[in-house]
Amino acid sequence: MITAPPSGTATAAPVYDRASEDVGNIVEFGHVNLRVPDQQLAILFYVMGLGLTRDPYLMVGVDNGWINVGACQFHLPVGKAQVLRGVVGLVMPDLEALRARLTAVTPRLRGTAFAFTHTAWQIDVTCPWGNRLRVHAPDPARFGRITLGMPYVEIDCTPGTARRIARFYAEILAAPAQCGAGGAGGADAGGAFASIPVGLNERLVFRETARESRPYDGHHIQVAVADFSGVHRRLLERGLITEESNQSQYRFQDIIDLDTAAVLATIEHEVRSMRHPMYARALVNRNPDITNDHYAAGHQAAIWRMAPGT
């Protein structure tokens, strides 16, 4: 952002808002991992219904499916169904086309938890096992310059915990967390929240709610951090490391009050370094409007970032 000089004054050197370029220590949001009992139903929902892309290079068998969403992914290993305690926010370029695809797969998903409702500005979708997704049209003011992506993951937390959760991320993960009320990170629900920037266009949002929370079932998210050893040291000092995965990765799951050590929220974080072999891996995203009956050469790939000047 540049601040212009007042009208009629001599031209001065531009003044830049340098803070608007800050990213924070959490430099990448990689994926949301949710186990699914039926890989065929998962492909029917995520690929045919949502119009997303199964990764063509990794996890191409029947035991796991990686689903690309711009620069992020869903990981869907086969197992007992897991349900995120919150909602995953998505951006897609054409909500009317999405509504048509969801309508087309509805008969094949009867008998599951699948459902969707739509308005002019978003579509709320429930997957066959109860995970909630909120799909928005592109909006650079809210989500950055993405036309396809996962701009936020909103996680339920109990009343009175948001500020302490924000402090945990600020002091342990060196992330510039913020607190407020109302919408955040693209979410439209009310209530106090902690918002944690993750990478260029993504956020974790912990939303206070009085709604009864289901027991944590092991689902996880994956992030990458710049200060890999510093975060590890601070977590280890508090006994929060749950897995020493390999040289480039570790895990933790409890977010605690830094004064009392009381657990405020639980969701496993798969933490990677920027030297992890898959850091910033380029993902294949297809254009779901292209079919064998409606085909145009050169238009198979989805454009997941806005063009210059838009």
Side-chain angles (χ1 to χ4, degrees):
M1 177 179 176
I2 302 176
T3 302
S7 177
T9 63
T11 302
V15 178
Y16 296 97
D17 179 6
R18 299 300 188 188
S20 68
E21 299 294 313
D22 291 345
V23 175
N25 187 46
I26 310 178
V27 294
E28 178 188 61
F29 186 86
H31 64 254
V32 174
N33 189 103
L34 301 163
R35 292 191 178 275
V36 298
D38 188 323
Q39 194 67 221
Q40 184 174 3
L41 273 184
I43 296 302
L44 182 64
F45 173 71
Y46 285 94
V47 177
M48 293 180 64
L50 292 180
L52 302 177
T53 305
R54 182 165 186 177
D55 193 295
Y57 300 122
L58 299 175
M59 297 298 172
V60 296
V62 297
D63 298 321
N64 199 344
W66 288 7
I67 306 296
N68 299 342
V69 194
C72 303
Q73 292 184 314
F74 288 101
H75 286 187
L76 307 170
V78 173
K80 184 179 178 180
Q82 292 176 331
V83 179
L84 180 86
R85 297 185 294 185
V87 59
V88 178
L90 302 179
V91 165
M92 292 187 179
D94 188 337
L95 295 190
E96 183 56 32
L98 171 61
R99 186 196 62 78
R101 289 192 300 269
L102 293 173
T103 299
V105 300
T106 294
R108 303 179 69 171
L109 293 174
R110 287 199 178 102
T112 73
F114 169 74
F116 72 96
T117 59
H118 60 92
T119 66
W121 55 89
Q122 72 184 46
I123 298 180
D124 293 296
V125 191
T126 303
C127 91
W129 302 280
N131 282 289
R132 295 185 294 134
L133 313 175
R134 185 183 296 128
V135 188
H136 306 269
D139 184 340
R142 299 173 72 191
F143 310 121
R145 298 180 59 78
I146 59 173
T147 56
L148 176 65
M150 189 184 293
Y152 64 90
V153 175
E154 183 176 299
I155 300 162
D156 294 345
C157 63
T158 56
T161 60
R163 290 194 176 278
R164 289 178 288 165
I165 289 171
R167 181 188 170 200
F168 176 90
Y169 278 93
E171 296 188 19
I172 303 298
L173 280 90
Q178 298 177 329
C179 292
D188 294 319
F193 64 84
S195 179
I196 299 97
V198 181
L200 295 179
N201 297 299
E202 294 80 39
R203 287 183 175 271
L204 290 178
V205 179
F206 287 84
R207 174 80 60 183
E208 292 186 8
T209 176
R211 182 172 53 244
E212 184 176 358
S213 181
R214 68 179 70 215
Y216 176 61
D217 60 16
H219 56 274
H220 76 257
I221 57 174
Q222 179 259 307
V223 299
V225 297
D227 182 15
F228 187 67
S229 64
V231 173
H232 181 271
R233 182 182 66 256
R234 292 187 287 273
L235 290 169
L236 192 63
E237 288 171 350
R238 294 175 178 272
L240 296 176
I241 297 291
T242 56
E243 178 183 287
E244 300 282 8
S245 312
N246 53 50
Q247 174 66 24
S248 302
Q249 180 180 301
Y250 50 82
R251 299 185 185 223
F252 76 94
Q253 67 177 34
D254 285 338
I255 299 152
I256 65 168
D257 183 303
L258 295 181
D259 293 326
T260 68
V263 175
L264 304 173
T266 299
I267 181 168
E268 185 175 65
H269 292 55
E270 180 181 310
V271 182
R272 295 178 180 175
S273 76
M274 294 175 70
R275 296 186 185 276
H276 191 285
M278 287 194 288
Y279 172 70
R281 183 170 76 96
L283 301 180
V284 174
N285 288 276
R286 69 189 178 93
N287 177 359
D289 294 334
I290 295 294
T291 69
N292 57 318
D293 295 323
H294 183 70
Y295 181 80
H299 292 270
Q300 299 97 321
I303 305 299
W304 61 273
R305 298 279 291 185
M306 293 181 181
T310 57

